[in-house]
Amino acid sequence: MQRAGITEVTGKRAGAAIKFEGIHKRYGSSVAIERLDLDVQQGEFISLLGPSGSGKSTLLMMLAGFEQVSGGRILIDDCDVTLLPPERRGIGMVFQNYALFPHMTVAENIGFSLRQTRTSKAVIRDKVSKMLDLVQLSGFENRYPQQLSGGQQQRVAIARAVVFDPPVLLMDEPLSALDKQLREAMQLEIKSLHERLGITFIYVTHDQREALVMSDRVALLNDGKIEQIGSPRDLYDRPCSRFAASFIGEANFLGVEVVGAAAAGYYDVRMFDRTFTARGGDGSRRGPAQCVLRPEKIHLTAASDALDATGGQLEGTVTSALFLGESLRYSVEVDGCSLTVSQPHRSGTQTLAPGELARLHWAVDDFLLVV
Amino acid sequence: MALTKHSSRRRGRAVLRFDRTALLILPLIAFIALFYLTPVFSMLLRSLESGEGWSLSAFRAVLSDGAFWRVMQITMTISLITTVLCLLLGYPLAYFIARTRTSVANILLLLVLMPFWTSILVRTYAWMVLLGRRGVINDTLVNIGLLERPMQLLNTRTAVYIAMVHVLLPFVVLPLYATLKSFDWRLVDAAKGLGAGPFASFRQVTLPLSMPGVAAGAVLVFTLSIGFYITPALVGGPRDMMIAQLIETQVRGFNWNIAAAMAVVVLAAVLVICALFARIVALNPLMRR
């Protein structure tokens, strides 16, 4: 399974395409993953995002070979690996707690995979030192993992997982043990590592920001099924369901009644005894539904201000106003229904106090009809 | 024993500085001083006694005694082989118990501990019943026709090993189980993911990381073996005399100073072996933490 790797560590390698075909996984009588199909492109950075228990880690473990599938096939570059043991899949993996070997030095940890294939000592030393360069840990080769900080251990784990030129790198919530600042710095580092290596990255996380920042595509998992898959922008701007809208970003949900189709892709919906236009998928829908309005897409002004009339608008009473530094956060009550509104904090922005009447205004494209 | 010495020395410093609960171990220290150190010290004094005042004559007699060295050699050989056998038998068992379901593991641990609830004398007699010329094993083998005549099982070195391993096995299984139970099995996954097969990942990851348990078990079994008395005396042959028996014959002959000198030499040997062992284990990067 050892691939003909390109020896130059920083050179671009070919990533592998990965196909999950009708994967399902049961634990006893409970179903963890249900008939799941997923195509990962060559060299893509894809995140598996979802709450705990959504099956994202299970999916990763099945790809790595640590969990058996109950049904379906896994293909790496059109080669069926479903029944191969993990040591013969040639996949790099970074574990949640890094799983560095505590009895080996940094250099020994990184060189572990190379020692399994009778690589000569000189080649190992050479590759390990290139890897240490890549993750900026030169000079640390003789330390033990427990003598390193969390961020440094993280880098060793990554170096260890890519030193043998795997076509795919799997990461299972690798940043969850780090503090916020380090986590954000590592996100950018991992992203740039992906660009430099050119191999396929599959990244499991429950942190939506992490998924949005790093990925080419995000697969949102819920209850063992893919809820939605697409670019980070797609997922944020066009959530397909209430779950997707609430898991990624914040959302106000409004109960509406679909009364008819407007222009292609748009619908007339009724709420608060008025008719609004909402954007939705194709097909014709009727009856009760949910609309999503994200807090930062609402423009809030005093009710007395004049306003150009495109898009939707509602009037309500401010019930609370919180100053968060970079933004102001309002709760506005409209006809017994409370909406959250976020306004950027800029000089000149009008500040409304609780009790004041306010007008909420939004662009038609930001008012989304979901299932 | 030798293992905890290393770590407790480091921890002890912190305890004394920060924690007055350290005072709680004073009763234990007093107990050990009274009932362990005092007898050891008085034994040391005895070994230096002779008819007319203090002298090293007892040590001279012991160290120049060929029988003493022969018995010492037998004792060390039996102890070493018993230790190795216990490790070879106990490791797979501890490994299995650590990896299996809790319900199964609890039953197996109970079975491992069971021998502890029976007196060592009773267990040794049980082996005599099993291994004797007209014992259960010989009878069965003769009855099913595998043997024409009963064979000599009792009063052999083999019988000594069987009975001693039986008694001492829990002492390796328990520390090994504790080590393997707290072992991070994701490290094995990591090793496999990096291309190491089941055997390679065991040899390079699981085994080295379970060495503290192996060492603890080995030291326990080895030191306990050296002091074995009843078992080799009852199931062993005349050529399997261990040091405790030799000391006992000296006591019976009222050669108290000779017996004490022998005991001191054995104690010193055990301490040297433990110190060497602690040194080897301390070279392990895990223990240097």
Side-chain angles (χ1 to χ4, degrees), chain B residues 179-210:
Chain B
T179 307
L180 290 168
K181 191 67 199 170
S182 61
F183 179 68
D184 182 1
W185 294 98
R186 259 169 305 188
L187 295 176
V188 175
D189 278 351
K192 286 185 179 162
L194 293 166
F199 179 72
S201 56
F202 175 76
R203 193 176 57 76
Q204 294 172 78
V205 178
T206 317
L207 187 60
L209 287 174
S210 59

mmCIF file of all heavy atoms in Angstrom, chain B residues 179-210:
data_model
loop_
_atom_site.group_PDB
_atom_site.id
_atom_site.type_symbol
_atom_site.label_atom_id
_atom_site.label_comp_id
_atom_site.label_asym_id
_atom_site.label_seq_id
_atom_site.Cartn_x
_atom_site.Cartn_y
_atom_site.Cartn_z
ATOM 1 N N THR B 179 -2.037 -1.617 34.797
ATOM 2 C CA THR B 179 -1.331 -0.854 33.768
ATOM 3 C C THR B 179 -2.096 -0.865 32.446
ATOM 4 O O THR B 179 -2.289 0.167 31.812
ATOM 5 C CB THR B 179 0.069 -1.455 33.537
ATOM 6 O OG1 THR B 179 0.729 -1.552 34.775
ATOM 7 C CG2 THR B 179 0.875 -0.579 32.604
ATOM 8 N N LEU B 180 -2.534 -2.054 32.039
ATOM 9 C CA LEU B 180 -3.190 -2.172 30.736
ATOM 10 C C LEU B 180 -4.575 -1.539 30.746
ATOM 11 O O LEU B 180 -5.072 -1.067 29.739
ATOM 12 C CB LEU B 180 -3.286 -3.645 30.321
ATOM 13 C CG LEU B 180 -1.948 -4.286 29.966
ATOM 14 C CD1 LEU B 180 -2.080 -5.793 29.855
ATOM 15 C CD2 LEU B 180 -1.400 -3.705 28.679
ATOM 16 N N LYS B 181 -5.206 -1.538 31.941
ATOM 17 C CA LYS B 181 -6.544 -0.960 32.027
ATOM 18 C C LYS B 181 -6.488 0.548 31.799
ATOM 19 O O LYS B 181 -7.378 1.129 31.191
ATOM 20 C CB LYS B 181 -7.138 -1.258 33.416
ATOM 21 C CG LYS B 181 -8.625 -0.945 33.535
ATOM 22 C CD LYS B 181 -9.438 -1.887 32.668
ATOM 23 C CE LYS B 181 -10.805 -1.340 32.408
ATOM 24 N NZ LYS B 181 -11.533 -2.113 31.395
ATOM 25 N N SER B 182 -5.424 1.172 32.286
ATOM 26 C CA SER B 182 -5.320 2.623 32.117
ATOM 27 C C SER B 182 -4.562 2.974 30.833
ATOM 28 O O SER B 182 -4.298 4.137 30.569
ATOM 29 C CB SER B 182 -4.606 3.241 33.316
ATOM 30 O OG SER B 182 -3.310 2.705 33.418
ATOM 31 N N PHE B 183 -4.228 1.966 30.052
ATOM 32 C CA PHE B 183 -3.485 2.205 28.811
ATOM 33 C C PHE B 183 -4.385 2.885 27.785
ATOM 34 O O PHE B 183 -5.567 2.581 27.682
ATOM 35 C CB PHE B 183 -2.984 0.847 28.287
ATOM 36 C CG PHE B 183 -2.219 0.931 27.007
ATOM 37 C CD1 PHE B 183 -0.977 1.538 26.966
ATOM 38 C CD2 PHE B 183 -2.739 0.396 25.837
ATOM 39 C CE1 PHE B 183 -0.270 1.610 25.784
ATOM 40 C CE2 PHE B 183 -2.031 0.467 24.649
ATOM 41 C CZ PHE B 183 -0.791 1.074 24.626
ATOM 42 N N ASP B 184 -3.827 3.820 27.062
ATOM 43 C CA ASP B 184 -4.599 4.546 26.045
ATOM 44 C C ASP B 184 -4.582 3.741 24.743
ATOM 45 O O ASP B 184 -3.621 3.787 23.986
ATOM 46 C CB ASP B 184 -3.963 5.927 25.835
ATOM 47 C CG ASP B 184 -4.730 6.756 24.824
ATOM 48 O OD1 ASP B 184 -5.755 6.264 24.306
ATOM 49 O OD2 ASP B 184 -4.303 7.881 24.556
ATOM 50 N N TRP B 185 -5.658 3.004 24.501
ATOM 51 C CA TRP B 185 -5.662 2.082 23.355
ATOM 52 C C TRP B 185 -5.697 2.827 22.032
ATOM 53 O O TRP B 185 -5.495 2.228 20.974
ATOM 54 C CB TRP B 185 -6.830 1.094 23.473
ATOM 55 C CG TRP B 185 -6.632 0.184 24.645
ATOM 56 C CD1 TRP B 185 -7.181 0.316 25.885
ATOM 57 C CD2 TRP B 185 -5.774 -0.966 24.698
ATOM 58 N NE1 TRP B 185 -6.715 -0.685 26.706
ATOM 59 C CE2 TRP B 185 -5.865 -1.479 26.013
ATOM 60 C CE3 TRP B 185 -4.953 -1.601 23.776
ATOM 61 C CZ2 TRP B 185 -5.153 -2.605 26.415
ATOM 62 C CZ3 TRP B 185 -4.245 -2.712 24.186
ATOM 63 C CH2 TRP B 185 -4.344 -3.209 25.483
ATOM 64 N N ARG B 186 -5.954 4.120 22.063
ATOM 65 C CA ARG B 186 -5.898 4.870 20.807
ATOM 66 C C ARG B 186 -4.477 4.899 20.253
ATOM 67 O O ARG B 186 -4.271 5.070 19.065
ATOM 68 C CB ARG B 186 -6.399 6.297 21.032
ATOM 69 C CG ARG B 186 -7.835 6.453 20.551
ATOM 70 C CD ARG B 186 -8.394 7.750 21.013
ATOM 71 N NE ARG B 186 -8.266 7.849 22.459
ATOM 72 C CZ ARG B 186 -8.808 8.810 23.178
ATOM 73 N NH1 ARG B 186 -9.495 9.753 22.578
ATOM 74 N NH2 ARG B 186 -8.669 8.845 24.481
ATOM 75 N N LEU B 187 -3.484 4.708 21.166
ATOM 76 C CA LEU B 187 -2.101 4.661 20.687
ATOM 77 C C LEU B 187 -1.903 3.480 19.752
ATOM 78 O O LEU B 187 -1.145 3.553 18.790
ATOM 79 C CB LEU B 187 -1.139 4.564 21.878
ATOM 80 C CG LEU B 187 -1.116 5.775 22.807
ATOM 81 C CD1 LEU B 187 -0.200 5.516 23.987
ATOM 82 C CD2 LEU B 187 -0.655 7.007 22.043
ATOM 83 N N VAL B 188 -2.598 2.384 20.035
ATOM 84 C CA VAL B 188 -2.501 1.222 19.156
ATOM 85 C C VAL B 188 -3.168 1.531 17.822
ATOM 86 O O VAL B 188 -2.647 1.196 16.756
ATOM 87 C CB VAL B 188 -3.146 -0.019 19.820
ATOM 88 C CG1 VAL B 188 -3.159 -1.186 18.852
ATOM 89 C CG2 VAL B 188 -2.385 -0.384 21.075
ATOM 90 N N ASP B 189 -4.305 2.210 17.865
ATOM 91 C CA ASP B 189 -4.954 2.651 16.629
ATOM 92 C C ASP B 189 -3.992 3.531 15.835
ATOM 93 O O ASP B 189 -3.848 3.377 14.622
ATOM 94 C CB ASP B 189 -6.228 3.460 16.940
ATOM 95 C CG ASP B 189 -7.416 2.553 17.214
ATOM 96 O OD1 ASP B 189 -7.284 1.339 17.003
ATOM 97 O OD2 ASP B 189 -8.467 3.063 17.644
ATOM 98 N N ALA B 190 -3.356 4.455 16.556
ATOM 99 C CA ALA B 190 -2.424 5.364 15.885
ATOM 100 C C ALA B 190 -1.317 4.565 15.206
ATOM 101 O O ALA B 190 -0.978 4.821 14.051
ATOM 102 C CB ALA B 190 -1.836 6.356 16.888
ATOM 103 N N ALA B 191 -0.775 3.571 15.923
ATOM 104 C CA ALA B 191 0.312 2.767 15.357
ATOM 105 C C ALA B 191 -0.170 2.018 14.111
ATOM 106 O O ALA B 191 0.525 1.965 13.097
ATOM 107 C CB ALA B 191 0.839 1.784 16.398
ATOM 108 N N LYS B 192 -1.383 1.464 14.192
ATOM 109 C CA LYS B 192 -1.906 0.737 13.035
ATOM 110 C C LYS B 192 -2.120 1.676 11.853
ATOM 111 O O LYS B 192 -1.820 1.340 10.721
ATOM 112 C CB LYS B 192 -3.221 0.045 13.397
ATOM 113 C CG LYS B 192 -2.982 -1.166 14.282
ATOM 114 C CD LYS B 192 -4.266 -1.928 14.541
ATOM 115 C CE LYS B 192 -3.973 -3.143 15.401
ATOM 116 N NZ LYS B 192 -5.185 -3.656 16.029
ATOM 117 N N GLY B 193 -2.649 2.866 12.173
ATOM 118 C CA GLY B 193 -2.861 3.850 11.118
ATOM 119 C C GLY B 193 -1.553 4.257 10.456
ATOM 120 O O GLY B 193 -1.533 4.707 9.317
ATOM 121 N N LEU B 194 -0.445 4.088 11.175
ATOM 122 C CA LEU B 194 0.858 4.457 10.623
ATOM 123 C C LEU B 194 1.553 3.255 9.994
ATOM 124 O O LEU B 194 2.747 3.283 9.741
ATOM 125 C CB LEU B 194 1.735 5.065 11.723
ATOM 126 C CG LEU B 194 1.237 6.417 12.235
ATOM 127 C CD1 LEU B 194 1.930 6.801 13.527
ATOM 128 C CD2 LEU B 194 1.448 7.499 11.185
ATOM 129 N N GLY B 195 0.801 2.180 9.796
ATOM 130 C CA GLY B 195 1.336 1.071 9.023
ATOM 131 C C GLY B 195 1.881 -0.090 9.834
ATOM 132 O O GLY B 195 2.471 -1.008 9.273
ATOM 133 N N ALA B 196 1.724 -0.062 11.161
ATOM 134 C CA ALA B 196 2.223 -1.169 11.970
ATOM 135 C C ALA B 196 1.121 -2.223 12.111
ATOM 136 O O ALA B 196 0.016 -1.903 12.514
ATOM 137 C CB ALA B 196 2.653 -0.671 13.344
ATOM 138 N N GLY B 197 1.442 -3.456 11.782
ATOM 139 C CA GLY B 197 0.475 -4.546 11.930
ATOM 140 C C GLY B 197 0.251 -4.865 13.392
ATOM 141 O O GLY B 197 0.853 -4.238 14.273
ATOM 142 N N PRO B 198 -0.621 -5.840 13.699
ATOM 143 C CA PRO B 198 -0.951 -6.147 15.091
ATOM 144 C C PRO B 198 0.285 -6.487 15.931
ATOM 145 O O PRO B 198 0.445 -5.984 17.039
ATOM 146 C CB PRO B 198 -1.869 -7.363 14.988
ATOM 147 C CG PRO B 198 -2.408 -7.329 13.603
ATOM 148 C CD PRO B 198 -1.384 -6.661 12.751
ATOM 149 N N PHE B 199 1.183 -7.325 15.364
ATOM 150 C CA PHE B 199 2.355 -7.708 16.148
ATOM 151 C C PHE B 199 3.312 -6.537 16.314
ATOM 152 O O PHE B 199 3.806 -6.275 17.413
ATOM 153 C CB PHE B 199 3.068 -8.902 15.497
ATOM 154 C CG PHE B 199 4.288 -9.328 16.250
ATOM 155 C CD1 PHE B 199 4.159 -9.979 17.472
ATOM 156 C CD2 PHE B 199 5.555 -9.045 15.762
ATOM 157 C CE1 PHE B 199 5.282 -10.355 18.195
ATOM 158 C CE2 PHE B 199 6.685 -9.414 16.480
ATOM 159 C CZ PHE B 199 6.551 -10.070 17.690
ATOM 160 N N ALA B 200 3.535 -5.813 15.229
ATOM 161 C CA ALA B 200 4.462 -4.681 15.282
ATOM 162 C C ALA B 200 3.967 -3.620 16.264
ATOM 163 O O ALA B 200 4.750 -3.051 17.029
ATOM 164 C CB ALA B 200 4.631 -4.071 13.896
ATOM 165 N N SER B 201 2.659 -3.369 16.276
ATOM 166 C CA SER B 201 2.173 -2.327 17.187
ATOM 167 C C SER B 201 2.230 -2.810 18.632
ATOM 168 O O SER B 201 2.465 -2.029 19.541
ATOM 169 C CB SER B 201 0.768 -1.866 16.806
ATOM 170 O OG SER B 201 -0.115 -2.940 16.775
ATOM 171 N N PHE B 202 2.055 -4.129 18.844
ATOM 172 C CA PHE B 202 2.211 -4.636 20.199
ATOM 173 C C PHE B 202 3.655 -4.469 20.666
ATOM 174 O O PHE B 202 3.922 -3.973 21.753
ATOM 175 C CB PHE B 202 1.818 -6.123 20.275
ATOM 176 C CG PHE B 202 2.080 -6.728 21.624
ATOM 177 C CD1 PHE B 202 1.234 -6.463 22.681
ATOM 178 C CD2 PHE B 202 3.194 -7.536 21.839
ATOM 179 C CE1 PHE B 202 1.479 -6.985 23.940
ATOM 180 C CE2 PHE B 202 3.445 -8.066 23.090
ATOM 181 C CZ PHE B 202 2.586 -7.793 24.137
ATOM 182 N N ARG B 203 4.594 -4.859 19.806
ATOM 183 C CA ARG B 203 5.997 -4.841 20.194
ATOM 184 C C ARG B 203 6.507 -3.407 20.382
ATOM 185 O O ARG B 203 7.282 -3.124 21.290
ATOM 186 C CB ARG B 203 6.830 -5.541 19.119
ATOM 187 C CG ARG B 203 8.250 -5.857 19.537
ATOM 188 C CD ARG B 203 8.968 -6.640 18.462
ATOM 189 N NE ARG B 203 8.978 -5.940 17.188
ATOM 190 C CZ ARG B 203 9.785 -4.905 16.921
ATOM 191 N NH1 ARG B 203 10.621 -4.484 17.823
ATOM 192 N NH2 ARG B 203 9.728 -4.316 15.752
ATOM 193 N N GLN B 204 6.025 -2.491 19.556
ATOM 194 C CA GLN B 204 6.585 -1.136 19.606
ATOM 195 C C GLN B 204 5.808 -0.180 20.502
ATOM 196 O O GLN B 204 6.326 0.851 20.899
ATOM 197 C CB GLN B 204 6.647 -0.553 18.191
ATOM 198 C CG GLN B 204 7.608 -1.286 17.302
ATOM 199 C CD GLN B 204 7.509 -0.812 15.867
ATOM 200 O OE1 GLN B 204 8.021 0.226 15.503
ATOM 201 N NE2 GLN B 204 6.823 -1.573 15.038
ATOM 202 N N VAL B 205 4.564 -0.507 20.778
ATOM 203 C CA VAL B 205 3.758 0.438 21.560
ATOM 204 C C VAL B 205 3.220 -0.188 22.852
ATOM 205 O O VAL B 205 3.564 0.252 23.944
ATOM 206 C CB VAL B 205 2.592 0.995 20.703
ATOM 207 C CG1 VAL B 205 1.723 1.929 21.539
ATOM 208 C CG2 VAL B 205 3.146 1.726 19.488
ATOM 209 N N THR B 206 2.399 -1.237 22.728
ATOM 210 C CA THR B 206 1.752 -1.777 23.921
ATOM 211 C C THR B 206 2.772 -2.317 24.924
ATOM 212 O O THR B 206 2.724 -1.972 26.107
ATOM 213 C CB THR B 206 0.774 -2.901 23.539
ATOM 214 O OG1 THR B 206 0.046 -2.520 22.393
ATOM 215 C CG2 THR B 206 -0.179 -3.184 24.674
ATOM 216 N N LEU B 207 3.699 -3.144 24.431
ATOM 217 C CA LEU B 207 4.653 -3.767 25.355
ATOM 218 C C LEU B 207 5.545 -2.742 26.064
ATOM 219 O O LEU B 207 5.608 -2.736 27.295
ATOM 220 C CB LEU B 207 5.478 -4.833 24.623
ATOM 221 C CG LEU B 207 6.393 -5.663 25.509
ATOM 222 C CD1 LEU B 207 5.595 -6.408 26.567
ATOM 223 C CD2 LEU B 207 7.220 -6.643 24.689
ATOM 224 N N PRO B 208 6.220 -1.853 25.314
ATOM 225 C CA PRO B 208 7.053 -0.886 26.045
ATOM 226 C C PRO B 208 6.256 -0.021 27.022
ATOM 227 O O PRO B 208 6.751 0.309 28.096
ATOM 228 C CB PRO B 208 7.679 -0.027 24.938
ATOM 229 C CG PRO B 208 7.093 -0.456 23.661
ATOM 230 C CD PRO B 208 6.404 -1.744 23.852
ATOM 231 N N LEU B 209 5.028 0.314 26.665
ATOM 232 C CA LEU B 209 4.250 1.168 27.555
ATOM 233 C C LEU B 209 3.664 0.403 28.732
ATOM 234 O O LEU B 209 3.205 1.002 29.698
ATOM 235 C CB LEU B 209 3.140 1.881 26.778
ATOM 236 C CG LEU B 209 3.649 2.993 25.864
ATOM 237 C CD1 LEU B 209 2.536 3.551 25.014
ATOM 238 C CD2 LEU B 209 4.300 4.098 26.686
ATOM 239 N N SER B 210 3.666 -0.942 28.667
ATOM 240 C CA SER B 210 3.185 -1.694 29.826
ATOM 241 C C SER B 210 4.347 -2.177 30.682
ATOM 242 O O SER B 210 4.142 -2.903 31.650
ATOM 243 C CB SER B 210 2.308 -2.869 29.381
ATOM 244 O OG SER B 210 3.027 -3.726 28.534
#
